[in-house]
Amino acid sequence: MDRKVKTVIIGMGRMGRLRYDALKRHGGFEIVAICDTRDSNLDGFAERKFHDWQECLESVELDAVIVCTYNAFIPEIVCSALKRGYHVFSEKPPGRNVADTLTMKAALESSGRILKFGFNHRYHNSIIEAKALVDSGLLGDIICARGVYGKAGTVNFESEWRNDAELSGGGILLDQGIHMLDLMHYFLGEFSSVKSVVDTLAWSGIQVEDNAFAIFETDRGQIASLHSSATQWHHRFNLDIVCTNGCVVLDGLITSTRSYGEERLTYYRKDLNAKTGKLGRPSEHTLCFTEDFSWDIEIKEFHDVLTGAKPLRNGTIDDALYVMQMIEQIYAAGRRGGN
Amino acid sequence: MLKAYDYIEFNNNNVPIHNELHLNNEKGIAEQFVRNHQVNEHDEIKECPICNHDKSIVFSKVWEIPYYRCESCWSIFNFISAAVVTAYKQNQDLIDYRLSESYQSDASLRRDTSWEELLDWIKFRTYRYLERNRDLDVIDYGNRYYALIDKIKGSNICKQYELRNSIAMNYSNPNNPIGQADVILYLNNIQQSVDPVRDLIEVGQSLKQEGLLFLSTRVSTGFDILTLQQNINNIYPFEHNLLLSKSGIEIVLKNAGYRVLEISTPGLMDLQYVQSNLEGIHKDNLFVKYLLEHGDQNTLSEFQRFIQKSGMSSFAQVVAQREVT
């Protein structure tokens, strides 16, 4: 493609606006229309506006569709766009359940188009560096990983659409924990067993879980543990990757709200001879990041795939299907209480 | 921009990285050379050779050689001719001293851990940018330590190793000179340069288009240098003719046709340098005096970490790539 990619964005809430800005910064996309059911979400934009996504897809000549709607609407829009011959970039989660994801997979396979999902965390600086560090072999092989991803909650938390089971399909695990789960998959590969506890421990007014605890094991005996929480009462992102010769600790995440703290990667090597003079206090190396380029890198990757410059490596339908299957296993193995 | 800092909580029993005796002996040889090669310098305002700002002021004088500080980019430099620096580099007394058994074995003992860390860093960053860190062609500029040469050559980073512009050339003659390298190590060289852009352009001709330049240097904006100013005792002519600031590093690399991938300041020695030269702190610098007199070990460690994290340590590591032509 030697011209700009004609693109529409369906869903102009917070994520739609983030994607809009990233598309503009990239320069390789021409946003020909935007669509949202709410007028207020369309205010202030110069592009052609639609309230009905089907009318939008029928009325505009385009190449690609960016889907940023509630989870419940993602599968139908994605499938419709693919059937019309458009490439699609969709926000996560890939639907509300595995059945949704399988539906999109079938539509993709018969379309010959590109479908990429927004597993955005892979593009954060600390994750890019951690992946390079682990893959470089400097720290040996991964033994285990521990991830905590938690939210502080809000005054209106119980009435948010994310906690409406019909719209979202799940609670904090499907909304936020899915990112950590994708990272576990990214670093460790596939898991062969899952143990979990899923419950609503504090937000009694919601139909979905506010906490999910899971332990996974790979065929190689590597263990991963995940705690996805809507009761952290503080925004927190923390991922430790323990290896045979050292450890990587990721702490904080640069987001648009800057509320998850400075994004840092600290690593240290095993030092049994206490070269620093203190056993248990090996020399630490810390990389810290003050800017978030993840949205730009992710959109660039989408553009590179559309123009044939690079193959799709992240956010594939297989990545999407894998994490959705894991989430269903976590729900099936661990759900208790009244959920 | 990536910010990076290292943190090593050294026990007091650890051996310091620098040997005062060797440093003083090197300085003694250097001073004798410098005093025999005095240049006619005037204290007038000079243009910064890095950013071309028209106002540079005298920062310090060492053995009558003035160092200037650019008021715009904060780089520090002297105005010595290339011929004098070449003669300094060929000073046989200094070469013999630095290649002596006692100097080399002492350096090996004191620096072994930091050299291991350096190799780890190169392996990590090479993988980060090239997606491989084995069997690379490596050119190493100016390395004068036999043990470090052996470490690099013996690591799995290297397929071929070529040493250039080093007093230890006889220790490591290349069988097959490398035309263009995957990795060039340009460690602690630029601080001796009188024309860094020209030198880096020349270096770049031996670097593959996608190859990596690893550059390290003392920087002018480090805590110890700005605190001790003319009283810092380990910056001297003609060993140090140019101390670039962080922005100076970026300017020089850009002008030499490189793209800076990252600059980090993981130096660990700033507070140690200042502590070992307390009388060199200006009498009006009360905060630093108070900090060093009253700060406990934890406070001082945290302060050093703050310096590193904030890009204000006086040791910088840079990774750069040639601009696509």
Side-chain angles (χ1 to χ4, degrees):
Chain A
M1 198 178 293
D2 54 2
R3 55 174 173 75
K4 290 193 176 187
V5 179
K6 292 181 186 294
T7 307
V8 299
I9 303 174
I10 313 287
M12 284 299 290
R14 196 176 76 83
M15 294 313 301
R17 287 162 187 250
L18 273 171
R19 297 298 181 189
Y20 177 96
D21 291 341
L23 294 171
K24 288 282 187 185
R25 284 193 298 271
H26 183 276
F29 295 88
E30 179 188 356
I31 302 172
V32 293
I34 54 176
C35 176
D36 200 291
T37 52
R38 293 185 191 177
D39 280 330
S40 59
N41 282 346
L42 299 173
D43 286 348
F45 293 96
E47 288 79 7
R48 195 172 168 190
K49 298 178 178 72
F50 291 89
H51 291 105
D52 182 304
W53 65 266
Q54 285 172 314
E55 184 191 348
C56 177
L57 296 188
E58 282 165 9
S59 309
V60 182
E61 183 188 332
L62 72 155
D63 305 303
V65 179
I66 311 290
V67 183
C68 304
T69 63
Y70 295 160
N71 308 352
F73 308 119
I74 285 175
E76 190 181 0
I77 300 172
V78 167
C79 291
S80 176
L82 289 170
K83 281 173 187 164
R84 291 170 190 270
Y86 306 140
H87 303 295
V88 178
F89 179 99
S90 172
E91 284 304 333
K92 61 81 198 165
R96 292 175 296 177
N97 47 47
V98 170
D100 282 351
T101 316
L102 285 170
T103 302
M104 290 186 277
K105 183 177 168 70
L108 174 68
E109 285 169 351
S110 60
S111 73
R113 303 284 106 178
I114 304 296
L115 172 59
K116 177 175 169 60
F117 287 99
F119 290 106
N120 163 270
H121 286 37
R122 293 189 185 197
Y123 304 94
H124 271 264
N125 285 310
S126 62
I127 303 299
I128 292 170
E129 297 293 347
K131 183 69 173 156
L133 181 58
V134 169
D135 289 351
S136 76
L138 204 64
L139 303 181
D141 299 322
I142 295 177
I143 297 170
C144 62
R146 289 186 295 265
V148 176
Y149 207 173
K151 276 188 173 179
T154 61
V155 171
N156 302 315
F157 186 74
E158 291 182 332
S159 60
E160 288 181 8
W161 70 266
R162 288 180 174 80
N163 295 313
D164 179 333
E166 279 300 309
L167 286 176
S168 66
I172 190 69
L173 177 64
L174 187 63
D175 177 42
Q176 187 182 60
I178 190 170
H179 283 299
M180 188 63 86
L181 197 52
D182 178 60
L183 294 179
M184 300 283 188
H185 177 218
Y186 189 44
F187 280 99
L188 285 156
E190 299 204 347
F191 298 101
S192 50
S193 69
V194 180
K195 292 175 183 169
S196 60
V197 174
V198 179
D199 206 344
T200 309
L201 299 175
W203 293 102
S204 56
I206 63 176
Q207 307 159 297
V208 293
E209 82 282 357
D210 63 16
N211 274 275
F213 306 82
I215 297 179
F216 317 97
E217 185 172 5
T218 70
D219 281 340
R220 299 176 300 286
Q222 299 157 306
I223 308 295
S225 68
L226 161 72
H227 179 198
S228 174
S229 172
T231 59
Q232 191 71 38
W233 315 129
H234 186 288
H235 284 173
R236 183 172 175 197
F237 176 89
N238 180 249
L239 174 60
D240 293 1
I241 302 170
V242 183
C243 302
T244 49
N245 292 322
C247 184
V248 191
V249 177
L250 306 183
D251 191 26
L253 202 69
I254 297 290
T255 64
S256 56
T257 59
R258 305 260 159 180
S259 54
Y260 284 82
E262 180 184 69
E263 189 170 317
R264 282 182 297 172
L265 176 157
T266 298
Y267 71 96
Y268 50 86
R269 296 196 64 171
K270 184 168 70 180
D271 180 16
L272 303 182
N273 294 317
K275 285 189 287 190
T276 57
K278 282 188 180 175
L279 190 62
R281 296 299 298 271
S283 59
E284 293 178 6
H285 306 265
T286 298
L287 313 180
C288 46
F289 311 93
T290 50
E291 292 175 281
D292 173 21
F293 302 111
S294 60
W295 309 105
D296 295 331
I297 301 171
E298 189 173 26
I299 285 299
K300 180 181 182 306
E301 186 181 289
F302 184 53
H303 188 269
D304 286 347
V305 175
L306 297 189
T307 54
K310 287 181 182 171
L312 183 61
R313 292 170 71 171
N314 298 299
T316 65
I317 186 68
D318 290 335
D319 290 333
L321 185 57
Y322 186 77
V323 291
M324 291 305 282
Q325 287 169 336
M326 291 301 298
I327 285 171
E328 284 209 350
Q329 285 187 52
I330 293 169
Y331 282 154
R335 188 160 278 165
R336 64 181 199 188
N339 293 314
Chain B
M1 171 69 83
L2 168 78
K3 290 197 294 185
Y5 57 100
D6 282 13
Y7 184 67
I8 301 176
E9 190 179 14
F10 274 120
N11 187 304
N12 289 336
N13 297 327
N14 280 84
V15 182
I17 198 165
H18 289 110
N19 179 327
E20 285 295 317
L21 174 67
H22 284 310
L23 175 64
N24 289 333
N25 287 341
E26 287 174 288
K27 282 179 68 178
I29 298 169
E31 182 174 0
Q32 191 175 19
F33 181 92
V34 170
R35 293 200 185 280
N36 290 334
H37 292 79
Q38 285 295 313
V39 285
N40 292 323
E41 280 287 347
H42 305 287
D43 291 354
E44 79 267 25
I45 292 168
K46 298 205 174 193
E47 184 180 273
C48 172
I50 306 306
C51 70
N52 299 326
H53 184 69
D54 59 6
K55 199 170 181 188
S56 297
I57 55 173
V58 173
F59 177 75
S60 65
K61 274 192 177 182
V62 182
W63 308 327
E64 303 305 317
I65 302 293
Y67 282 88
Y68 299 83
R69 180 178 68 78
C70 173
E71 291 215 308
S72 176
C73 77
W74 285 72
S75 295
I76 293 172
F77 41 84
N78 59 30
F79 286 94
I80 304 302
S81 73
V84 170
V85 175
T86 301
Y88 174 81
K89 288 179 180 174
Q90 293 168 349
N91 180 341
Q92 200 58 47
D93 290 342
L94 197 54
I95 292 172
D96 290 344
Y97 187 76
R98 286 174 167 168
L99 294 182
S100 66
E101 165 62 24
S102 77
Y103 184 93
Q104 291 287 331
S105 59
D106 184 72
S108 175
L109 175 72
R110 290 168 184 274
R111 294 170 183 258
D112 187 66
T113 301
S114 65
W115 287 341
E116 289 290 337
E117 303 267 349
L118 172 69
L119 274 179
D120 281 355
W121 176 253
I122 293 168
K123 285 179 189 171
F124 176 21
R125 305 322 288 165
T126 304
Y127 195 89
R128 166 71 177 86
Y129 294 114
L130 302 182
E131 295 189 3
R132 63 195 182 101
N133 58 8
R134 287 170 183 251
D135 298 328
L136 303 169
D137 291 338
V138 177
I139 297 176
D140 185 7
Y141 279 84
N143 185 349
R144 65 171 184 249
Y145 299 107
Y146 295 154
L148 179 56
I149 293 168
D150 288 340
K151 237 179 228 307
I152 298 169
K153 282 172 77 172
S155 79
N156 55 17
I157 297 173
C158 276
K159 181 179 171 192
Q160 293 189 86
Y161 173 87
E162 184 183 340
L163 184 63
R164 289 186 183 175
N165 296 1
S166 167
I167 61 173
M169 289 300 285
N170 291 337
Y171 187 70
S172 181
N173 279 330
N175 295 324
N176 299 303
I178 297 168
Q180 287 198 308
D182 300 298
V183 167
I184 286 183
L185 305 179
Y186 201 68
L187 311 179
N188 299 312
N189 284 297
I190 206 153
Q191 51 216 37
Q192 213 164 31
S193 178
V194 295
D195 190 343
V197 173
R198 183 200 63 197
D199 292 348
L200 287 169
I201 288 172
E202 190 181 319
V203 166
Q205 288 165 355
S206 297
L207 185 62
K208 288 179 183 170
Q209 183 66 58
E210 72 283 6
L212 298 177
L213 173 74
F214 286 83
L215 182 152
S216 68
T217 183
R218 293 287 295 275
V219 283
S220 60
T221 42
F223 172 78
D224 55 344
I225 291 171
L226 292 182
T227 301
L228 293 171
Q229 299 185 29
Q230 70 272 14
N231 294 322
I232 191 156
N233 62 11
N234 53 22
I235 302 290
Y236 57 91
F238 301 120
E239 195 65 31
H240 308 94
N241 302 313
L242 172 65
L243 300 177
L244 293 165
S245 61
K246 273 182 77 178
S247 64
I249 291 170
E250 291 180 88
I251 292 167
V252 163
L253 283 166
K254 182 171 184 287
N255 290 342
Y258 293 85
R259 182 166 58 100
V260 176
L261 300 174
E262 60 184 60
I263 299 178
S264 55
T265 56
L268 297 161
M269 310 297 290
D270 302 77
L271 274 188
Q272 201 179 98
Y273 282 144
V274 178
Q275 274 186 310
S276 65
N277 193 2
L278 286 173
E279 68 282 3
I281 303 173
H282 192 277
K283 63 181 175 56
D284 293 336
N285 199 343
L286 298 180
F287 174 76
V288 174
K289 274 181 180 290
Y290 181 82
L291 172 73
L292 293 176
E293 283 178 16
H294 293 84
D296 60 22
Q297 197 54 47
N298 284 338
T299 304
L300 297 179
S301 291
E302 281 302 317
F303 191 71
Q304 179 65 44
R305 197 199 282 245
F306 163 78
I307 289 169
Q308 294 158 350
K309 182 179 171 183
S310 310
M312 292 189 280
S313 162
S314 64
F315 175 69
Q317 287 182 326
V318 183
V319 185
Q321 222 162 18
R322 285 170 57 196
E323 275 292 1
V324 177
T325 51

